[in-house]
Amino acid sequence: MHTNAPETKWMENVTYDELTVGQSARLLRTVRLEDIQAFAAVSGDINPAHLNAEYADSTMFHGVIAHGMLGAALISALFGTQFPGPGTIYLGQELKFTRPVRIGDTLTVLATVAEKDDEKKRVKMDCLVTNQKGEVVLKGEAKLMPPTQKVKVQRIDAPRIQLFDPEARQKDLLARVQSLEAVRCAVVHPCDEGSLSGAMDSARHGLIIPVLIGPEGRIRRVAKEAGINLDGVEIISVEHSHAAAELAAAMAARQDVEILMKGSLHTDELLKAVLAQPALRTGRRLSHIFRFDVPLYDKPLLITDAAINIRPSLLEKVDIVQNAIDFARVLGTEKPKVAILSAVETVTPSIPSTLDAAALCKMADRGQIKGGELDGPLAFDNAVSMDAVRIKGIDSGVAGQADILMVPDLESGNMVAKQLEYLAHASGSGLVLGAHVPIALTSRADGPRARVASCVLALLAAHEKRKQRAENAWKLG
């Protein structure tokens, strides 16, 4: 919470003997949405009245309100830091909440000595919290054991809380496609709960018109066990996953569907079927891209390729990076910054990935890779941290602010992606690029949010394909 009171380097208490009846002190704070979210994270109180704007609008308060105990915590802060200050023992508190506290309210916390008990060295404080309109939002009485010895201690900065709201990030992503028409999507062999629910969640969000391809009996059994409603959903029954992949690819080649979505089959099964259809080939190599919302990074981060190309050659890397650049532009980044990763930031003959990085940068200089700004080799820290860039004295328009991380091979890419997801709590989604249809590719471990996010990416790519087809038809016409 923001304070407009001047900060000092020291906290000095007021002892029991220095306190007099009628003496008071105050604290000012302005309540922000981040404060409410942080209080929810610490307390575990996720009442939707505090966190869900849509729900809160339907309540008697007609909007998000702060937790009542957040105001009580401000009273505690005044006691513990200023009045009486360090050494105070909080014995009890009676509170009455009289008005809701809203985002943007500036609260004045006033504590006044009401009584002193010289025998027990205790005091009773009258507590009053008012908003910027002078309205009382909280009042009560507190019992304290003030310090008896004078103390002056250095002020300690409070620990920082880095807030990350995956639901809000998901809503922002969904908002980007709100105006786009849903497209037909072949969901290939959705024979487990994760892939079937992911497809139906995406349909519920208005992203796709699902066409479920696989053994119908098995699909319906999974739906029944998971409580998934398939009323009105098109199902094309085939015997096994190979047949499902082949039929889905053929439908995509005929433009009967505009997105392919992987279900419970191996990735190579689906991609083999796609590559077997000449009408789906673009002349570029297929490559995978992850999109991550990382709590400690200020923008979405794309990582390629962590799922398809095991040990790509230089020419294959050209396709991989061009696929990534083109897709970043679809996402709205006009000239994406591409960091080509290695273990070091210098070209080192004994580390082949540094040679590839240098060659890719030169190819970009010569127009063989278009639309992005490339730099490499860069170590991971130099790609995403401006502090690392400053310490190492790197002069680069990409370092420290990459939009795309291009990894040397599948192993390193998979490790980076999994570390971001499981250690940095990043929210990820994935897509296969390089064919005439986007392919939403998810892992068996992915939850519903990741599957819907992957479908958002696929929808954006599908509409870009529509646009390209229309432009090509216009040119030919």
Side-chain angles (χ1 to χ4, degrees):
M1 278 166 280
H2 175 70
T3 176
N4 58 6
E7 294 290 347
T8 62
K9 293 182 179 180
W10 300 92
M11 293 188 293
E12 186 173 350
N13 64 7
V14 181
T15 65
Y16 177 85
D17 291 335
E18 292 174 323
L19 292 170
T20 59
V21 173
Q23 186 178 359
S24 65
R26 68 185 63 219
L27 182 72
L28 268 68
R29 292 290 189 272
T30 298
V31 177
R32 305 171 301 165
L33 174 60
E34 292 87 346
D35 302 318
I36 297 173
Q37 293 172 330
F39 194 88
V42 171
S43 66
D45 184 351
I46 55 172
N47 184 333
H50 310 308
L51 300 173
N52 186 324
E54 184 177 351
Y55 170 84
D57 284 341
S58 67
T59 67
M60 61 182 290
F61 301 112
H62 302 294
V64 169
I65 60 171
H67 304 74
M69 294 308 293
L70 193 154
L74 295 180
I75 297 173
S76 177
L78 177 59
F79 291 155
T81 62
Q82 296 182 40
F83 186 71
T88 299
I89 297 176
Y90 210 155
L91 298 174
Q93 179 81 62
E94 292 182 1
L95 295 172
K96 184 177 181 180
F97 303 96
T98 56
R99 281 183 180 272
V101 174
R102 302 183 184 279
I103 298 166
D105 280 355
T106 296
L107 303 182
T108 300
V109 182
L110 178 67
T112 304
V113 179
E115 296 177 12
K116 292 185 67 177
D117 183 339
D118 291 335
E119 182 180 349
K120 295 183 177 180
K121 301 292 184 181
R122 297 182 181 183
V123 300
K124 181 185 289 185
M125 290 276 193
D126 286 335
C127 307
L128 190 68
V129 181
T130 56
N131 62 21
Q132 69 277 8
K133 298 177 183 178
E135 299 167 333
V136 177
V137 301
L138 178 60
K139 60 183 179 180
E141 292 181 347
K143 294 179 180 179
L144 307 176
M145 185 184 296
T148 56
Q149 294 183 340
K150 197 70 175 175
V151 173
K152 184 177 181 181
V153 296
Q154 190 169 9
R155 181 180 293 275
I156 299 172
D157 291 334
R160 290 185 178 183
I161 297 178
Q162 182 68 38
L163 293 171
F164 179 69
D165 186 347
E167 291 290 345
R169 297 288 183 99
Q170 182 87 332
K171 287 179 180 178
D172 288 344
L173 189 60
L174 285 166
R176 299 190 59 174
V177 296
Q178 195 170 24
S179 62
L180 297 182
E181 178 187 3
V183 304
R184 279 169 58 84
C185 170
V187 187
V188 186
H189 204 253
C191 294
D192 64 357
E193 181 180 347
S195 58
L196 185 58
S197 63
M200 299 313 298
D201 285 345
S202 298
R204 182 170 51 83
H205 283 291
L207 304 175
I208 61 170
I209 302 167
V211 180
L212 309 182
I213 304 176
E216 183 172 0
R218 190 172 168 189
I219 292 172
R220 291 195 180 278
R221 185 166 60 252
V222 170
K224 183 178 180 180
E225 292 172 355
I228 299 171
N229 185 1
L230 296 182
D231 289 349
V233 177
E234 182 179 354
I235 301 176
I236 302 177
S237 187
V238 296
E239 291 185 3
H240 47 69
S241 57
H242 290 293
E246 290 169 2
L247 178 57
M251 291 176 68
R254 297 193 304 265
Q255 298 182 19
D256 288 344
V257 295
E258 295 181 69
I259 295 174
L260 298 178
M261 179 183 288
K262 175 180 173 288
S264 55
L265 76 168
H266 291 295
T267 299
D268 57 357
E269 272 188 274
L270 178 56
L271 298 187
K272 183 179 178 181
V274 170
L275 291 173
Q277 292 287 338
L280 295 181
R281 296 183 184 178
T282 63
R284 282 209 203 140
R285 190 169 186 83
L286 297 184
S287 63
H288 180 266
I289 194 159
F290 274 119
R291 178 192 181 275
F292 281 108
D293 280 315
V294 186
L296 293 178
Y297 203 60
D298 63 357
K299 56 184 174 180
L301 191 60
L302 302 180
I303 298 176
T304 193
D305 176 326
I308 295 178
N309 295 286
I310 297 174
R311 196 170 291 107
S313 66
L314 175 60
L315 289 180
E316 290 167 347
K317 287 180 179 180
V318 171
D319 281 352
I320 292 170
V321 73
Q322 190 66 67
N323 285 341
I325 290 170
D326 291 348
F327 185 64
R329 289 167 62 86
V330 170
L331 293 179
T333 304
E334 186 175 346
K335 190 172 184 180
K337 299 177 184 295
V338 184
I340 306 168
L341 297 187
S342 185
V344 295
E345 63 275 3
T346 55
V347 178
T348 306
S350 58
I351 305 178
S353 60
T354 68
L355 302 178
D356 283 354
L360 290 168
C361 291
K362 181 52 67 177
M363 294 171 83
D365 290 343
R366 298 289 169 84
Q368 293 172 268
I369 299 171
K370 296 179 172 63
E373 182 179 359
L374 278 64
D375 196 8
L378 289 171
F380 183 87
D381 57 340
N382 306 324
V384 298
S385 169
M386 289 304 299
D387 288 338
V389 171
R390 283 190 288 269
I391 290 168
K392 295 187 177 181
I394 298 171
D395 183 14
S396 167
V398 172
Q401 48 189 333
D403 298 298
I404 300 170
L405 300 180
M406 183 177 178
V407 298
D409 52 38
L410 183 146
E411 289 177 311
S412 57
N414 193 272
M415 290 176 193
V416 169
K418 291 297 193 292
Q419 286 164 1
L420 289 175
E421 183 176 359
Y422 289 98
L423 292 179
H425 301 291
S427 297
S429 49
L431 198 64
V432 175
L433 306 167
H436 276 302
V437 292
I439 305 168
L441 195 66
T442 52
S443 165
R444 284 171 295 175
D446 286 337
R449 187 183 296 120
R451 294 176 186 274
V452 170
S454 294
C455 204
V456 171
L457 303 186
L459 182 62
L460 286 165
H463 275 270
E464 179 64 20
K465 295 288 185 184
R466 277 190 183 184
K467 180 181 173 183
Q468 291 172 1
R469 286 195 299 268
E471 288 175 353
N472 291 336
W474 181 81
K475 289 176 183 177
L476 291 173

